[in-house]
Amino acid sequence: MFFVKALVYLTTWLTLVFAQSAQLLAPPAGTTLKAGSNFTVQVEMGGYPENIDTVAIVIGLMHCTGTCSPPSQFMGSILYQGPYTPVSGQYYANYSVAVPSGFQSGTASLNVIDFFMVGASYVPVIDYLNVTVTVS
């Protein structure tokens, strides 16, 4: 009986921890970005019932050769690194970043790493987000 209770508790706890995730709302997949131009990256963190403390966000752009590497391996050119700064009263933050002027045209991966801590014991969580875009 103790095993079943422990298993239910662990499953519930893991579901809550892994349900805490950021979402990359903009730009959408398939967007064409122009080298040297600014664009907005919108990252959302949901409204959670437990304590959440976002430590940092890193946004990068990586040229894809064949297949795109995941952000857990390569971030590419770092466009932003710093705090998560949500719009007042909202659960999302907008970051105005620029595609480097000499960035190679073609398929690229827009990568976001979000590091945050959840719960009373501050369980560390890292989200890796990415979307495929085209650079012209």
Side-chain angles (χ1 to χ4, degrees):
M1 184 65 158
F2 175 76
F3 175 74
V4 173
K5 286 182 181 180
L7 186 60
V8 168
Y9 173 78
L10 181 62
T11 303
T12 303
W13 183 80
L14 286 174
T15 301
L16 286 172
V17 168
F18 290 110
Q20 314 303 319
S21 63
Q23 295 180 37
L24 185 54
L25 300 179
T31 298
T32 298
L33 306 173
K34 185 176 179 183
S37 295
N38 288 350
F39 67 100
T40 299
V41 176
Q42 188 174 69
V43 179
E44 178 187 52
M45 294 281 294
Y48 304 112
E50 59 276 334
N51 187 38
I52 185 165
D53 184 15
T54 302
V55 177
I57 297 261
V58 180
I59 301 171
L61 187 64
M62 178 77 181
H63 178 73
C64 300
T65 52
T67 59
C68 296
S69 298
S72 58
Q73 293 180 355
F74 299 104
M75 284 298 290
S77 299
I78 302 301
L79 309 180
Y80 174 84
Q81 64 182 28
Y84 174 69
T85 52
V87 174
S88 180
Q90 302 296 319
Y91 297 117
Y92 65 89
N94 293 322
Y95 300 93
S96 180
V97 295
V99 177
S101 59
F103 198 87
Q104 187 174 353
S105 62
T107 304
S109 180
L110 178 65
N111 302 316
V112 175
I113 295 177
D114 178 27
F115 173 52
F116 59 100
M117 298 178 291
V118 178
S121 59
Y122 292 103
V123 176
V125 180
I126 298 175
D127 271 346
Y128 298 98
L129 312 169
N130 68 321
V131 65
T132 302
V133 296
T134 302
V135 176
S136 63

